[in-house]
C-alpha cells in the first residue's frame, strides 16, 4: 500500500477530528508576515515623504495629451538631414559595444566558472567584476567614459561594452558551469592540453548559448545606446537632447518614432536569427 | 440518473467523433466504456460535464439539460459530478490537502478559497478521505512529490470531496502499471459502491473492465455498438468493438 | 565498417562548412568600417588612456563630506523605486492576466497586449524625459516613468507565465464547479506564483538601479546629484555617490534573495539569516 512510503509518520496521526490543517508552519507564516510588514511600511514611508505635488499628478494626463498634440505632426524633413546619420551611429555603437563586451567578458566568464578555474578566490574576484559591471548603469558608464575620452561615440561604445560585460560574463559563466562533464573527461583522459579541452570540449557545448546571449544583449543594447547621447556619448540621443532643449517638439516626435522603429526592427531581427541559426 | 439523448460531437465540421449516442446510466453501479483509441470514449465522458461542448443532443442530469446550461447554473451542476483524470490533473504545486479542498471550490466563495479558509467540516472530511484512500499523513506533501498511484488516489479523493452524485473517470488507469491499476480500480469501485455513487469509467483494458464493471458499453467509430452486463461480453462482441481477431488470446 | 563506406569518407576529416569563416571575415570588415565611421582611432584611445590615469586619480579618495545631500538623493531614489514597483506590479497583474490568450477572449487580450507593448517600447530614461516635460522636475516624473517600465516588463512576463501553464490542472479545477475567481486562485496562481515572485523582486532591483539614474534627466533621485557632480568635475564626490549606489543595489539584491527564499522556498526567517543566499534561483531576464 502507498502508506508504506509515508514520510510523516502515519502511525503518529491523531484521530481525524483532532487534526488541524495549516498551510504554513508558524515560523513560515512569521517570515511571510514580516515581508508584508516591510513592504507596507516601505510604501507608507514613501508615500508620506515623497515630494510629489498632488496638483501636478492630477494635471498629468492633460499635460501628456498637450505634449502629444505639440509633437504632431512630426517634422519628417528633419529625418534625412540629421536623424538618419545619428540612427546609424547608434546602431554602430550598439553593435561594436556588444562585440567588445563579448571579447572582454569571455575571459572573465571563464575565470568565474568553478569547473574551469577551480580556485574560489579567483572565481569571487571575477564575480565581483561582473557584479560591478551590472550595478553601474550604462548612463553612468557613459558619464565616466565621456569624462575620460571626451564626448562622442567612442565613450558610448565603451559604456555599452562595460555595462554588458556583467550580463554576458555571468550568463556565459553559468553556461560553462552547466556543460556536460563527459566529453571533457574524455579529452582529459586522452591527455589533451587546456586549450584543446576548451576548443573541443567546452566550446561546442556552450557556443549556442554564447551566440544566443550575444543576440539577446545586442537587442538590449540597441535600446540602451539610444539614450547615451543624453550625456554626450553619441548616437541618436544627442539629436533628441538638442531637440528637447530647443523645445522642437515635432523633431522630438521624429526622433522617438525613429527609435521605436529601430527597436522593433532589432527585435524582429533577433527573433528571426535565433529561429534560423541557433 | 443520467440520460444522454442523440448526443453528437464533431471538433471539425463534417468529421463527427460522436454520432447519435443514447445512453441511460442507473443510480448505482459501475459502468465501463470500452473501445479502441480514437473512438470518442474520452469525448463522451468530457461531454457529460461539458468540458467538451457537444454539437447536438441532450444531457439530462438531475432534471436539467446540461447542454443548455452555462455560467453559474453549469457550475452548480458540475459540483455534483466528480471527475477523475487519466493524468491525475492535480495542481502540482499545491499540497495534497489543498488539492482535496479544491473539490469544495464549488461551495466556497473565491475569497475564502483564496485565503484557504475552508469550513472545518471540509477539512475533517478531507482527513477522513485521506485515510480511506491510504494516504494518511500525506496532507502537507506537495502533489508533485507523489508517485502516479498516489496521485490518482488524491484525484479520486478530490472528486469524492465534491460529494458528487455521479463520478466520471477518464482512463484513470492508463498511466499506471498493472498492479497499481488494479488497486486504483478497487478503490474507485469501493468508493462508488460504499457511497452509492454511480461510476462511469472509460478504459481500454478489457480485462479490468470485465473484472470491475457491472455494465459494459462498447464504442466503435463514435457510436455505441454494445451495451450489456459484463458477463455478456464475448469474443464476437469484442471483435466488433475493436476489429480483427489476432489480438484475442 | 565495410570498405565502400570508408571510401565515401571525405578526404579531410576536419573540413568544416566555410560559413563560420566567411562570417568571421565579414565581422572583421564590419568592425573596421564601423570604427572608421565613428572616428574611433588608436590615437584617440591613447589620449584617452592618458586621461584615464588622471581621471581615476581624481576619483580617489571618495569624498563623503556632503553626505546629507547624498542621503537625501538616495532616499528619494528609494521612494521612487518602492512606489513605482508597487504601482507597476498592481497595475501589471490585471493587465497581464487580460493579455493571456489561454484564459481571455481576444477582445480583452488585444488592448492589454497593446498597453504592454507600448509600455515596453521606450527606454525608461526617454519616458522619464517626456514625463519631466509633462509634469515638471522631480520624483513624480521618475515614479511615472518607472511605473510604465514595470507594467511593460512584468505584464509581458506574467502573460507568458500564464500562457505556459498546464491546461490540465485548470480543467480539473473547472470540473469541480469552481467559479472563475476560484479557478484563478487554485488552478492558475499556484502555477505562476514562484515565477511571479521571481520577476517582481527582479523588477524591484531593476527599478532601484533605474531610480538612481532618472535624476540625470531631472526625474528625481540621486542621479541628479551624480550628474551635477560630473558636470562640476567633482570626481571625488562622484566616487562617493557611485559607491553608495552600488552598496544600495547590492543590499537590494540581498533582500530580494531573502524574499524569494521565503515565498518560493517556504523558508523561515532563521533559514534566511542562516543560509543567506543559499536558496538562489537566478533569472535570465536582465533587461534594464
Amino acid at each position: 500500500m502507498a502508506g508504506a512510503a509515508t514520510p510523516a509518520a502515519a502511525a503518529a496521526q491523531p484521530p481525524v477530528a483532532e487534526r488541524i490543517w495549516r498551510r504554513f508552519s508558524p515560523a513560515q507564516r512569521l517570515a511571510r508576515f514580516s515581508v508584508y510588514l516591510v513592504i507596507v511600511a516601505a510604501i507608507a514611508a514613501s508615500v508620506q515623504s515623497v515630494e510629489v505635488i498632488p496638483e501636478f499628478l492630477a494635471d498629468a494626463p492633460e499635460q501628456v495629451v498637450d505634449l502629444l498634440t505639440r509633437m504632431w505632426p512630426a517634422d519628417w524633413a528633419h529625418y534625412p538631414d540629421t536623424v538618419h546619420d545619428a540612427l546609424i551611429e547608434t546602431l554602430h555603437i550598439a553593435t561594436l559595444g556588444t562585440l567588445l563586451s563579448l571579447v572582454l567578458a569571455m575571459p572573465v566568464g571563464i575565470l568565474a566558472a568553478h569547473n574551469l578555474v577551480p580556485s574560489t578566490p579567483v572565481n569571487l574576484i571575477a564575480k565581483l567584476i561582473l557584479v560591478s559591471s551590472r550595478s553601474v548603469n550604462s548612463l553612468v558608464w557613459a558619464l565616466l567614459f565621456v569624462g575620460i575620452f571626451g564626448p562622442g561615440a567612442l565613450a558610448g561604445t565603451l559604456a555599452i561594452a562595460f555595462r554588458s560585460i556583467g550580463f554576458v560574463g555571468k550568463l556565459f559563466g553559468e553556461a560553462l558551469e552547466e556543460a556536460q562533464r563527459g566529453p571533457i573527461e574524455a579529452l582529459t583522459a586522452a591527455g589533451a592540453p587546456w586549450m584543446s579541452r576548451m576548443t573541443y570540449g567546452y566550446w561546442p557545448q556552450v557556443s549556442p548559448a554564447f551566440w544566443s546571449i550575444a543576440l539577446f544583449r545586442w537587442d538590449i543594447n540597441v535600446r540602451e545606446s539610444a539614450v547615451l547621447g543624453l550625456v554626450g556619448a553619441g548616437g541618436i540621443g544627442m539629436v533628441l537632447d538638442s531637440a528637447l532643449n530647443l523645445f522642437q517638439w515635432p523633431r522630438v516626435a521624429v526622433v522617438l518614432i525613429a527609435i521605436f522603429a529601430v527597436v522593433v526592427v532589432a527585435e524582429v531581427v533577433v527573433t528571426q536569427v535565433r529561429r534560423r541559426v541557433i | 440518473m443520467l440520460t444522454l439523448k442523440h448526443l453528437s460531437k464533431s471538433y471539425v465540421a463534417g468529421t463527427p467523433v460522436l454520432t447519435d449516442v443514447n445512453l441511460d446510466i442507473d443510480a448505482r453501479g459501475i459502468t465501463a466504456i470500452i473501445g479502441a483509441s480514437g473512438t470518442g470514449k474520452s469525448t463522451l465522458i468530457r461531454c457529460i460535464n461539458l468540458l467538451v461542448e457537444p454539437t447536438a443532443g441532450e444531457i439530462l442530469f438531475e432534471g436539467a439539460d446540461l447542454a443548455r446550461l452555462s455560467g453559474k447554473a453549469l457550475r452548480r451542476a458540475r459540483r455534483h459530478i466528480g471527475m477523475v483524470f487519466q493524468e491525475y490533473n492535480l495542481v502540482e504545486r499545491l499540497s495534497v490537502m489543498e488539492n482535496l479542498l479544491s473539490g469544495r471550490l464549488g461551495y466556497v466563495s473565491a475569497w475564502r478559497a483564496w485565503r484557504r479558509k475552508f469550513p472545518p467540516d471540509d477539512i475533517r472530511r478531507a482527513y477522513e478521505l485521506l485515510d480511506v484512500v491510504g494516504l494518511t499523513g500525506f496532507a502537507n506533501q506537495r502533489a508533485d512529490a507523489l508517485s502516479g498511484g498516489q496521485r490518482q488516489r488524491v484525484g479520486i479523493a478530490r472528486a469524492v470531496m465534491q460529494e458528487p452524485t455521479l463520478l466520471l473517470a477518464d482512463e484513470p488507469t492508463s498511466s499506471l502499471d498493472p498492479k497499481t491499476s488494479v488497486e486504483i480500480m478497487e478503490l474507485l469501485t469501493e468508493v462508488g459502491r460504499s457511497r452509492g455513487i454511480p461510476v462511469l469509467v472509460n478504459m481500454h483494458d478489457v480485462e479490468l473492465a470485465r473484472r470491475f464493471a457491472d455494465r459494459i458499453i462498447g464504442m466503435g467509430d463514435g457510436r455505441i455498438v454494445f451495451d450489456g452486463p459484463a458477463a455478456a461480453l464475448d469474443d464476437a462482441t469484442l471483435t466488433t468493438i475493436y476489429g480483427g481477431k489476432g489480438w484475442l488470446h | 565498417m565495410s570498405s565502400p563506406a570508408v571510401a565515401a569518407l571525405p578526404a579531410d576529416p576536419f573540413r568544416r562548412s566555410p560559413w563560420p569563416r566567411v562570417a568571421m571575415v565579414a565581422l572583421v570588415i564590419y568592425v573596421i568600417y564601423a570604427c572608421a565611421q565613428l572616428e574611433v582611432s588608436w590615437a584617440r584611445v591613447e589620449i584617452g588612456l592618458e586621461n584615464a590615469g588622471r581621471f581615476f586619480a581624481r576619483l580617489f579618495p571618495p569624498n563623503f563630506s556632503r553626505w546629507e545631500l547624498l542621503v537625501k538623493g538616495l532616499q528619494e531614489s528609494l521612494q521612487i523605486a518602492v512606489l513605482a514597483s508597487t504601482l507597476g506590479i498592481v497595475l501589471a497583474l490585471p493587465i497581464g492576466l487580460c493579455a493571456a490568450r489561454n484564459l481571455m477572449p481576444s477582445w480583452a487580450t488585444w488592448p492589454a497586449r497593446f498597453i504592454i507593448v507600448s509600455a515596453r517600447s521606450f527606454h525608461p530614461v526617454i519616458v522619464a524625459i517626456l514625463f519631466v516635460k509633462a509634469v515638471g522636475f522631480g520624483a513624480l516624473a521618475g515614479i511615472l516613468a518607472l511605473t510604465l517600465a514595470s507594467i511593460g516588463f512584468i505584464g509581458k512576463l506574467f502573460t507568458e507565465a500564464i500562457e505556459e501553464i498546464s491546461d490540465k490542472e485548470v480543467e480539473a479545477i473547472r470540473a469541480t464547479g469552481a467559479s472563475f475567481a476560484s479557478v484563478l486562485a487554485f488552478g492558475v496562481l499556484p502555477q505562476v506564483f514562484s515565477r511571479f515572485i521571481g520577476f517582481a523582486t527582479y523588477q524591484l532591483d531593476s527599478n532601484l538601479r533605474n531610480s538612481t539614474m532618472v535624476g540625470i534627466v531631472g526625474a528625481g533621485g540621486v542621479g541628479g546629484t551624480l550628474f551635477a557632480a560630473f558636470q562640476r568635475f567633482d570626481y571625488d564626490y562622484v566616487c562617493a555617490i557611485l559607491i553608495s549606489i552600488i552598496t544600495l543595489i547590492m543590499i537590494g539584491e540581498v533582500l530580494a534573495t531573502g524574499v524569494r527564499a521565503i515565498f518560493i522556498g517556504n523558508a523561515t526567517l532563521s533559514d534566511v539569516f542562516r543560509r543567506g543566499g543559499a536558496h538562489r534561483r537566478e533569472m535570465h531576464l536582465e533587461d534594464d
Side-chain angles (χ1 to χ4, degrees), chain B residues 170-189:
Chain B
D170 184 16
E171 307 245 6
T173 60
S174 294
S175 303
L176 301 170
D177 63 67
K179 178 171 166 283
T180 317
S181 297
V182 171
E183 286 172 4
I184 289 296
M185 283 309 296
E186 275 172 351
L187 179 63
L188 196 61
T189 44

PDB file of all heavy atoms in Angstrom, chain B residues 170-189:
ATOM      1  N   ASP B 170     -11.939   9.304 -16.547  1.00  0.00           N
ATOM      2  CA  ASP B 170     -11.463   9.271 -17.924  1.00  0.00           C
ATOM      3  C   ASP B 170     -10.134   8.530 -17.967  1.00  0.00           C
ATOM      4  O   ASP B 170      -9.103   9.097 -17.631  1.00  0.00           O
ATOM      5  CB  ASP B 170     -11.317  10.722 -18.411  1.00  0.00           C
ATOM      6  CG  ASP B 170     -10.907  10.779 -19.875  1.00  0.00           C
ATOM      7  OD1 ASP B 170     -11.035   9.763 -20.566  1.00  0.00           O
ATOM      8  OD2 ASP B 170     -10.448  11.845 -20.309  1.00  0.00           O
ATOM      9  N   GLU B 171     -10.172   7.268 -18.358  1.00  0.00           N
ATOM     10  CA  GLU B 171      -8.972   6.429 -18.411  1.00  0.00           C
ATOM     11  C   GLU B 171      -8.135   6.551 -17.134  1.00  0.00           C
ATOM     12  O   GLU B 171      -6.952   6.887 -17.194  1.00  0.00           O
ATOM     13  CB  GLU B 171      -8.102   6.827 -19.619  1.00  0.00           C
ATOM     14  CG  GLU B 171      -8.872   6.839 -20.907  1.00  0.00           C
ATOM     15  CD  GLU B 171      -8.397   5.786 -21.883  1.00  0.00           C
ATOM     16  OE1 GLU B 171      -7.531   4.977 -21.493  1.00  0.00           O
ATOM     17  OE2 GLU B 171      -8.911   5.750 -23.007  1.00  0.00           O
ATOM     18  N   PRO B 172      -8.706   6.260 -15.981  1.00  0.00           N
ATOM     19  CA  PRO B 172      -7.993   6.541 -14.730  1.00  0.00           C
ATOM     20  C   PRO B 172      -6.751   5.676 -14.534  1.00  0.00           C
ATOM     21  O   PRO B 172      -5.917   6.007 -13.699  1.00  0.00           O
ATOM     22  CB  PRO B 172      -9.030   6.240 -13.651  1.00  0.00           C
ATOM     23  CG  PRO B 172      -9.959   5.275 -14.289  1.00  0.00           C
ATOM     24  CD  PRO B 172     -10.014   5.653 -15.728  1.00  0.00           C
ATOM     25  N   THR B 173      -6.625   4.581 -15.287  1.00  0.00           N
ATOM     26  CA  THR B 173      -5.502   3.684 -15.030  1.00  0.00           C
ATOM     27  C   THR B 173      -4.524   3.614 -16.185  1.00  0.00           C
ATOM     28  O   THR B 173      -3.546   2.881 -16.129  1.00  0.00           O
ATOM     29  CB  THR B 173      -6.019   2.252 -14.757  1.00  0.00           C
ATOM     30  OG1 THR B 173      -6.726   1.811 -15.911  1.00  0.00           O
ATOM     31  CG2 THR B 173      -6.923   2.208 -13.562  1.00  0.00           C
ATOM     32  N   SER B 174      -4.760   4.417 -17.223  1.00  0.00           N
ATOM     33  CA  SER B 174      -3.927   4.263 -18.424  1.00  0.00           C
ATOM     34  C   SER B 174      -2.479   4.685 -18.225  1.00  0.00           C
ATOM     35  O   SER B 174      -1.616   4.308 -18.993  1.00  0.00           O
ATOM     36  CB  SER B 174      -4.518   5.062 -19.576  1.00  0.00           C
ATOM     37  OG  SER B 174      -5.742   4.491 -19.921  1.00  0.00           O
ATOM     38  N   SER B 175      -2.225   5.535 -17.184  1.00  0.00           N
ATOM     39  CA  SER B 175      -0.844   5.960 -16.979  1.00  0.00           C
ATOM     40  C   SER B 175      -0.174   5.165 -15.865  1.00  0.00           C
ATOM     41  O   SER B 175       0.881   5.551 -15.384  1.00  0.00           O
ATOM     42  CB  SER B 175      -0.805   7.450 -16.638  1.00  0.00           C
ATOM     43  OG  SER B 175      -1.419   8.190 -17.661  1.00  0.00           O
ATOM     44  N   LEU B 176      -0.817   4.082 -15.426  1.00  0.00           N
ATOM     45  CA  LEU B 176      -0.305   3.351 -14.263  1.00  0.00           C
ATOM     46  C   LEU B 176       0.116   1.934 -14.642  1.00  0.00           C
ATOM     47  O   LEU B 176      -0.329   1.382 -15.643  1.00  0.00           O
ATOM     48  CB  LEU B 176      -1.391   3.283 -13.182  1.00  0.00           C
ATOM     49  CG  LEU B 176      -1.888   4.643 -12.683  1.00  0.00           C
ATOM     50  CD1 LEU B 176      -3.116   4.463 -11.809  1.00  0.00           C
ATOM     51  CD2 LEU B 176      -0.793   5.369 -11.920  1.00  0.00           C
ATOM     52  N   ASP B 177       0.970   1.352 -13.792  1.00  0.00           N
ATOM     53  CA  ASP B 177       1.385  -0.027 -14.050  1.00  0.00           C
ATOM     54  C   ASP B 177       0.232  -0.981 -13.689  1.00  0.00           C
ATOM     55  O   ASP B 177      -0.718  -0.580 -13.011  1.00  0.00           O
ATOM     56  CB  ASP B 177       2.650  -0.361 -13.253  1.00  0.00           C
ATOM     57  CG  ASP B 177       2.420  -0.290 -11.768  1.00  0.00           C
ATOM     58  OD1 ASP B 177       1.658  -1.126 -11.239  1.00  0.00           O
ATOM     59  OD2 ASP B 177       2.972   0.621 -11.121  1.00  0.00           O
ATOM     60  N   PRO B 178       0.292  -2.245 -14.153  1.00  0.00           N
ATOM     61  CA  PRO B 178      -0.848  -3.165 -13.986  1.00  0.00           C
ATOM     62  C   PRO B 178      -1.279  -3.345 -12.532  1.00  0.00           C
ATOM     63  O   PRO B 178      -2.468  -3.333 -12.230  1.00  0.00           O
ATOM     64  CB  PRO B 178      -0.323  -4.483 -14.564  1.00  0.00           C
ATOM     65  CG  PRO B 178       0.761  -4.100 -15.483  1.00  0.00           C
ATOM     66  CD  PRO B 178       1.358  -2.847 -14.950  1.00  0.00           C
ATOM     67  N   LYS B 179      -0.319  -3.468 -11.623  1.00  0.00           N
ATOM     68  CA  LYS B 179      -0.678  -3.716 -10.225  1.00  0.00           C
ATOM     69  C   LYS B 179      -1.390  -2.491  -9.642  1.00  0.00           C
ATOM     70  O   LYS B 179      -2.460  -2.595  -9.049  1.00  0.00           O
ATOM     71  CB  LYS B 179       0.589  -4.022  -9.431  1.00  0.00           C
ATOM     72  CG  LYS B 179       0.353  -4.245  -7.957  1.00  0.00           C
ATOM     73  CD  LYS B 179       1.623  -4.753  -7.288  1.00  0.00           C
ATOM     74  CE  LYS B 179       1.555  -4.667  -5.778  1.00  0.00           C
ATOM     75  NZ  LYS B 179       1.755  -3.328  -5.264  1.00  0.00           N
ATOM     76  N   THR B 180      -0.805  -1.315  -9.870  1.00  0.00           N
ATOM     77  CA  THR B 180      -1.413  -0.090  -9.362  1.00  0.00           C
ATOM     78  C   THR B 180      -2.773   0.135 -10.013  1.00  0.00           C
ATOM     79  O   THR B 180      -3.707   0.607  -9.365  1.00  0.00           O
ATOM     80  CB  THR B 180      -0.495   1.111  -9.638  1.00  0.00           C
ATOM     81  OG1 THR B 180       0.844   0.744  -9.346  1.00  0.00           O
ATOM     82  CG2 THR B 180      -0.869   2.290  -8.794  1.00  0.00           C
ATOM     83  N   SER B 181      -2.901  -0.231 -11.295  1.00  0.00           N
ATOM     84  CA  SER B 181      -4.176  -0.066 -11.981  1.00  0.00           C
ATOM     85  C   SER B 181      -5.278  -0.819 -11.247  1.00  0.00           C
ATOM     86  O   SER B 181      -6.375  -0.297 -11.026  1.00  0.00           O
ATOM     87  CB  SER B 181      -4.093  -0.606 -13.409  1.00  0.00           C
ATOM     88  OG  SER B 181      -3.170   0.121 -14.150  1.00  0.00           O
ATOM     89  N   VAL B 182      -4.973  -2.058 -10.864  1.00  0.00           N
ATOM     90  CA  VAL B 182      -5.972  -2.859 -10.153  1.00  0.00           C
ATOM     91  C   VAL B 182      -6.310  -2.200  -8.822  1.00  0.00           C
ATOM     92  O   VAL B 182      -7.481  -2.074  -8.457  1.00  0.00           O
ATOM     93  CB  VAL B 182      -5.457  -4.303  -9.949  1.00  0.00           C
ATOM     94  CG1 VAL B 182      -6.391  -5.076  -9.027  1.00  0.00           C
ATOM     95  CG2 VAL B 182      -5.323  -5.000 -11.294  1.00  0.00           C
ATOM     96  N   GLU B 183      -5.289  -1.716  -8.114  1.00  0.00           N
ATOM     97  CA  GLU B 183      -5.535  -1.067  -6.819  1.00  0.00           C
ATOM     98  C   GLU B 183      -6.428   0.157  -6.975  1.00  0.00           C
ATOM     99  O   GLU B 183      -7.344   0.390  -6.194  1.00  0.00           O
ATOM    100  CB  GLU B 183      -4.210  -0.641  -6.176  1.00  0.00           C
ATOM    101  CG  GLU B 183      -3.414  -1.814  -5.624  1.00  0.00           C
ATOM    102  CD  GLU B 183      -2.013  -1.413  -5.171  1.00  0.00           C
ATOM    103  OE1 GLU B 183      -1.695  -0.201  -5.211  1.00  0.00           O
ATOM    104  OE2 GLU B 183      -1.252  -2.310  -4.796  1.00  0.00           O
ATOM    105  N   ILE B 184      -6.141   0.948  -8.030  1.00  0.00           N
ATOM    106  CA  ILE B 184      -6.929   2.160  -8.247  1.00  0.00           C
ATOM    107  C   ILE B 184      -8.363   1.797  -8.600  1.00  0.00           C
ATOM    108  O   ILE B 184      -9.316   2.401  -8.105  1.00  0.00           O
ATOM    109  CB  ILE B 184      -6.282   3.020  -9.352  1.00  0.00           C
ATOM    110  CG1 ILE B 184      -4.977   3.639  -8.852  1.00  0.00           C
ATOM    111  CG2 ILE B 184      -7.231   4.098  -9.831  1.00  0.00           C
ATOM    112  CD1 ILE B 184      -5.132   4.607  -7.705  1.00  0.00           C
ATOM    113  N   MET B 185      -8.546   0.774  -9.456  1.00  0.00           N
ATOM    114  CA  MET B 185      -9.912   0.358  -9.801  1.00  0.00           C
ATOM    115  C   MET B 185     -10.648  -0.167  -8.583  1.00  0.00           C
ATOM    116  O   MET B 185     -11.843   0.086  -8.414  1.00  0.00           O
ATOM    117  CB  MET B 185      -9.887  -0.700 -10.915  1.00  0.00           C
ATOM    118  CG  MET B 185      -9.638  -0.153 -12.310  1.00  0.00           C
ATOM    119  SD  MET B 185     -10.731   1.222 -12.743  1.00  0.00           S
ATOM    120  CE  MET B 185     -12.328   0.421 -12.731  1.00  0.00           C
ATOM    121  N   GLU B 186      -9.916  -0.900  -7.725  1.00  0.00           N
ATOM    122  CA  GLU B 186     -10.543  -1.386  -6.488  1.00  0.00           C
ATOM    123  C   GLU B 186     -11.030  -0.211  -5.648  1.00  0.00           C
ATOM    124  O   GLU B 186     -12.157  -0.202  -5.147  1.00  0.00           O
ATOM    125  CB  GLU B 186      -9.533  -2.215  -5.669  1.00  0.00           C
ATOM    126  CG  GLU B 186      -9.481  -3.664  -6.095  1.00  0.00           C
ATOM    127  CD  GLU B 186      -8.348  -4.426  -5.408  1.00  0.00           C
ATOM    128  OE1 GLU B 186      -7.506  -3.779  -4.738  1.00  0.00           O
ATOM    129  OE2 GLU B 186      -8.295  -5.655  -5.569  1.00  0.00           O
ATOM    130  N   LEU B 187     -10.165   0.786  -5.527  1.00  0.00           N
ATOM    131  CA  LEU B 187     -10.517   1.957  -4.725  1.00  0.00           C
ATOM    132  C   LEU B 187     -11.722   2.680  -5.319  1.00  0.00           C
ATOM    133  O   LEU B 187     -12.680   3.036  -4.617  1.00  0.00           O
ATOM    134  CB  LEU B 187      -9.314   2.892  -4.644  1.00  0.00           C
ATOM    135  CG  LEU B 187      -9.517   4.185  -3.854  1.00  0.00           C
ATOM    136  CD1 LEU B 187      -9.822   3.870  -2.408  1.00  0.00           C
ATOM    137  CD2 LEU B 187      -8.288   5.064  -3.966  1.00  0.00           C
ATOM    138  N   LEU B 188     -11.699   2.847  -6.628  1.00  0.00           N
ATOM    139  CA  LEU B 188     -12.772   3.581  -7.301  1.00  0.00           C
ATOM    140  C   LEU B 188     -14.110   2.867  -7.136  1.00  0.00           C
ATOM    141  O   LEU B 188     -15.128   3.485  -6.799  1.00  0.00           O
ATOM    142  CB  LEU B 188     -12.412   3.729  -8.784  1.00  0.00           C
ATOM    143  CG  LEU B 188     -13.174   4.760  -9.601  1.00  0.00           C
ATOM    144  CD1 LEU B 188     -12.965   6.150  -9.039  1.00  0.00           C
ATOM    145  CD2 LEU B 188     -12.696   4.722 -11.064  1.00  0.00           C
ATOM    146  N   THR B 189     -14.103   1.549  -7.340  1.00  0.00           N
ATOM    147  CA  THR B 189     -15.368   0.817  -7.228  1.00  0.00           C
ATOM    148  C   THR B 189     -15.825   0.783  -5.774  1.00  0.00           C
ATOM    149  O   THR B 189     -17.011   0.944  -5.494  1.00  0.00           O
ATOM    150  CB  THR B 189     -15.221  -0.623  -7.744  1.00  0.00           C
ATOM    151  OG1 THR B 189     -14.006  -1.169  -7.244  1.00  0.00           O
ATOM    152  CG2 THR B 189     -15.173  -0.670  -9.252  1.00  0.00           C
TER     153      THR B 189
END
